[in-house]
């Protein structure tokens, strides 16, 4: 039996000396190479949960285990992609990627070569020597995802990575993310407000209640991979979408 990429054991989180309860005994896991989405109402503690997994906060009770190691309150065990691309504006696009490779222990010369190879694979090689401000929002998010993908940590946390994009760009980015993930199969935990996005991308969806959050249901996503861009036309897709919508409301 393989060790889960992530295990949360009975996570409670309170603020203001217990007056504000955010998480109420959450236990969940992400298997190796599994893509799991968390969806819940605004204010249900999804951001707090990511801070706990990343070691930026400590739970009031419960434990975080990453790759079979007890990591509660400890940083440096995850790669993270935020809502905004947050690329370093003073470094070129290639240099932003090279940094992730160098942190992973790759020599600078090899990092430069690999960065350009990866930028070519995602269709952005012509921007290798440009600075992030010349890229569109979707392009910046591609570079941001690539930087997270190439970081050495095996677990990736994606925090509503496409939430700031327009609908068409978001749809294109979802398809792009699926294609890149299929090639690498990293363990991913995604937070999203979009039911369609969760169904399109995930192996499993975890639905949270409003705060203090508990898990309402864990839903295996039954669609084969690679996923079809026309998946939303299938009756089962819309049945699951309605079911999750009803859970959230």
């Amino acid at each position: 039996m393989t060790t889960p990429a992530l295990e949360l054991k009975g996570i409670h989180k309170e603020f203001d000396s217990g007056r504000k309860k955010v998480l109420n005994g959450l236990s969940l896991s992400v298997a190796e190479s599994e893509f799991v989405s968390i969806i819940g109402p605004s204010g249900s503690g999804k951001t707090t949960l990511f801070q706990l997994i990343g070691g930026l906060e400590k739970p009031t009770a419960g434990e975080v285990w990453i790759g079979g190691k007890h990591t509660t309150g400890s940083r440096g065990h995850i790669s993270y992609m935020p809502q905004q691309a947050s690329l370093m504006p003073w470094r070129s696009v290639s240099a932003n990627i090279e940094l992730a490779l160098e942190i992973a222990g790759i020599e600078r010369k090899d990092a430069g070569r690999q960065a350009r190879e990866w930028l070519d694979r995602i269709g952005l090689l012509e921007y290798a020597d440009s600075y992030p401000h010349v890229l569109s929002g979707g392009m910046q998010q591609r570079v941001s995802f690539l930087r997270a993908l190439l970081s050495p940590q095996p677990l990736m946390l994606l925090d509503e990575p496409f939430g700031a994009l327009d609908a068409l760009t978001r749809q294109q980015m979802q398809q792009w993310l699926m294609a890149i993930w299929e090639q690498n199969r990293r363990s991913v935990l995604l937070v999203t407000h979009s039911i369609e996005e969760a169904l399109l991308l995930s192996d499993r969806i975890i639905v949270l209640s409003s705060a203090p959050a508990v898990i309402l249901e864990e839903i295996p996503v039954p669609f084969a991979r690679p996923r079809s861009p026309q998946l939303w036309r299938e009756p089962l897709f819309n049945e699951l979408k309605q079911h999750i919508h009803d859970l959230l409301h």
Side-chain angles (χ1 to χ4, degrees), residues 19 44 70 82 87 97 116 169 185 206 209 223 241 243:
R19 287 189 291 272
S44 59
H70 183 225
L87 301 173
I97 301 302
R116 289 177 180 271
T169 304
R185 292 291 180 115
I206 296 170
S209 71
F223 308 114
K241 178 182 172 182
H243 176 63

Side-chain angles (χ1 to χ4, degrees), residues 12-119:
H12 292 259
K13 183 60 178 176
E14 301 173 355
F15 295 100
D16 298 331
S17 302
R19 287 189 291 272
K20 182 180 180 182
K21 296 182 179 180
V22 180
L23 302 173
N24 192 20
L26 292 191
S27 295
L28 61 89
S29 65
V30 178
E32 186 177 337
S33 303
E34 187 181 25
F35 198 124
V36 177
S37 289
I38 293 178
I39 194 164
S42 294
S44 59
K46 300 184 294 295
T47 297
T48 299
L49 190 62
F50 267 21
Q51 290 173 339
L52 293 168
I53 296 169
L56 300 176
E57 292 274 356
K58 288 187 177 182
T60 306
E63 296 179 345
V64 179
W65 290 71
I66 297 175
K69 297 180 180 179
H70 183 225
T71 61
T72 308
S74 175
R75 304 183 187 187
H77 302 282
I78 56 105
S79 61
Y80 176 69
M81 181 178 173
Q83 295 178 32
Q84 303 295 333
S86 68
L87 301 173
M88 298 176 187
W90 61 89
R91 295 179 71 106
S92 70
V93 170
S94 180
N96 268 279
I97 301 302
E98 289 167 30
L99 181 61
L101 291 165
E102 288 173 28
I103 290 171
I106 294 170
E107 294 291 333
R108 180 170 293 183
K109 183 179 178 181
D110 288 336
R113 177 181 53 79
Q114 289 188 34
R116 289 177 180 271
E117 288 175 0
W118 273 100
L119 286 169

